[in-house]
Amino acid sequence: MNQRKYSSEQLLRCDEDGIEYFTVKKTGLSGMSHRGLARFVGKDHTAIIYWVERVEKADLVENNLPEYLKAFAGKDVKLVNYKDPQGRSILEDRFCAALTEYFASDAQDAKNNLKAQQSRILIRDIGMRQLIHLKTGWYLQCNDEQFRKLLQEHEQRVKTRNLLKDKIRCDLMRAVNEWREVHRQSRAIFSDTHDEINKMLQGLSSKEIKLKNSLPKHVLIRDFYDTQPLNDYSAISRVTTTLIKCGIYPLESVRLASALYLSPEHIAEAIPLMDNIRKVGKFLAEQKSKRLNETIDFNPSLTNLNAKS
């Protein structure tokens, strides 16, 4: 296996036997080059270009895309604001995973494409983004201070998410329920209120967010947000709760709360998702344990990492 790793100011890059993997240092968002994905699935790069163009030009609702690709219809499937060293676009990991599934199962030559089938098994076992993280060394290349900062940022993310899940959301739902009982409305008002917050921030309903990001129906979207989006949802939910308690219609409360909290320049657009919060926590815990095991024998002072984090 021929593997070379590179690092720029914004990106980690790994070239393994001609397959290029990329990870954004700041966020962990990942992707592959067009030619890299082509080698990953055993196809010519022109096949990748064809599907990228077809998907991005497809109508959001009325299209005849393969099932695996429908969630990406009419959307940009490239990492926004990031290019490879030659200035070429990088395909986002979720699309790379979906196209791999297509070539391994639905394409005309799927049964004979052993490379695509092997790659599909690989990403189903560990996930496309996790695979790319392992290839590029994201998290692993941090020095001790940077890793400590990652741990602290993750702890803040967990704290913010738990507050939203266990306190703020519950308060909001209680207020909605009290309003519902007084005004004898259906239980649909609960989901309608949540979706109105989603639309104010992202212009999308919960269902649309999951479709756009190829998320299963049962997952909690908040588990994929970074701290700032969680703060935004929390702030709007708090103000909405207060307004509902004043007798204002829940959806109108959401709109008023959003107008008070968001800047006039706010544009409702999709929020980039991160790895699931539990998955990140498990991975960081494993890396923390690994770092301690690797350093304790020759530098006991580094055990302070455990005490400070």
Side-chain angles (χ1 to χ4, degrees):
M1 179 180 65
N2 179 22
Q3 185 183 79
R4 294 174 294 169
K5 290 187 178 181
Y6 309 84
S7 178
S8 65
E9 183 177 346
Q10 295 180 316
L11 293 170
L12 295 173
R13 172 177 171 243
C14 173
D15 185 331
E16 183 177 288
D17 297 327
I19 302 176
E20 291 181 293
Y21 304 93
F22 299 88
T23 298
V24 179
K25 288 182 177 180
K26 183 178 180 180
T27 64
L29 295 175
S30 298
M32 302 173 71
S33 65
H34 286 70
R35 291 183 181 275
L37 178 57
R39 294 186 177 96
F40 189 73
V41 297
K43 303 292 290 187
D44 187 83
H45 77 281
T46 56
I48 307 301
I49 294 173
Y50 167 80
W51 281 110
V52 169
E53 293 180 347
R54 182 173 167 185
V55 164
E56 291 186 340
K57 292 178 181 178
D59 184 82
L60 184 63
V61 178
E62 296 182 1
N63 63 72
N64 59 351
L65 292 173
E67 194 62 34
Y68 288 112
L69 304 178
K70 284 187 178 295
F72 302 93
K75 300 178 176 65
D76 190 345
V77 298
K78 300 177 284 291
L79 288 183
V80 180
N81 299 325
Y82 296 100
K83 303 286 185 180
D84 73 3
Q86 286 73 45
R88 296 171 297 196
S89 299
I90 300 170
L91 300 174
E92 63 172 44
D93 48 24
R94 297 177 302 110
F95 177 73
C96 292
L99 203 52
T100 300
E101 291 280 0
Y102 166 74
F103 282 122
S105 59
D106 286 359
Q108 289 184 350
D109 64 344
K111 291 183 178 179
N112 298 320
N113 192 336
L114 297 180
K115 179 62 177 175
Q117 292 175 24
Q118 292 168 352
S119 295
R120 176 179 61 174
I121 292 172
L122 181 62
I123 64 174
R124 282 188 171 181
D125 284 343
I126 63 176
M128 177 62 88
R129 185 169 296 179
Q130 183 67 25
L131 171 68
I132 298 177
H133 285 174
L134 292 172
K135 298 295 185 182
T136 59
W138 192 65
Y139 283 141
L140 304 182
Q141 290 193 358
C142 300
N143 60 37
D144 291 329
E145 186 59 35
Q146 290 170 327
F147 188 73
R148 190 176 290 116
K149 183 179 179 182
L150 283 173
L151 287 173
Q152 292 171 345
E153 290 175 348
H154 177 69
E155 289 170 359
Q156 183 59 49
R157 181 187 175 195
V158 171
K159 180 179 179 181
T160 305
R161 174 270 211 163
N162 287 345
L163 180 62
L164 175 61
K165 177 176 73 74
D166 300 329
K167 176 68 168 61
I168 297 174
R169 179 186 176 280
C170 294
D171 290 345
L172 174 59
M173 289 300 95
R174 277 194 292 270
V176 171
N177 191 50
E178 290 172 2
W179 183 93
R180 183 184 72 86
E181 291 180 343
V182 169
H183 294 83
R184 298 182 180 181
Q185 298 293 307
S186 74
R187 297 186 65 84
I189 193 64
F190 293 115
S191 59
D192 290 346
T193 301
H194 278 304
D195 267 340
E196 194 65 18
I197 297 176
N198 286 324
K199 291 174 183 177
M200 290 296 100
L201 282 168
Q202 303 195 56
L204 299 168
S205 67
S206 174
K207 182 178 179 180
E208 290 168 338
I209 293 170
K210 289 182 179 180
L211 283 173
K212 174 180 174 60
N213 292 281
S214 302
L215 295 176
K217 292 181 180 180
H218 67 276
V219 302
L220 300 175
I221 303 174
R222 59 174 171 260
D223 287 350
F224 295 84
Y225 290 144
D226 201 358
T227 304
Q228 186 53 55
L230 289 170
N231 280 328
D232 293 339
Y233 271 92
S234 295
I236 291 176
S237 296
R238 283 180 183 276
V239 178
T240 297
T241 299
T242 300
L243 293 173
I244 293 173
K245 288 181 177 179
C246 293
I248 300 175
Y249 174 52
L251 302 193
E252 182 61 24
S253 294
V254 172
R255 298 177 193 125
L256 290 171
S258 300
L260 290 169
Y261 175 74
L262 299 172
S263 70
E265 293 79 25
H266 173 76
I267 298 175
E269 55 186 6
I271 297 171
L273 301 190
M274 300 180 66
D275 277 335
N276 184 286
I277 196 168
R278 296 182 183 86
K279 184 177 179 181
V280 173
K282 180 180 178 181
F283 185 71
L284 285 173
E286 291 172 350
Q287 294 307 314
K288 178 178 176 180
S289 177
K290 182 178 178 181
R291 283 169 175 265
L292 289 172
N293 290 336
E294 289 177 347
T295 59
I296 193 170
D297 289 338
F298 64 91
N299 194 347
S301 65
L302 288 181
T303 56
N304 289 334
L305 178 65
N306 188 41
K308 294 181 180 180
S309 59

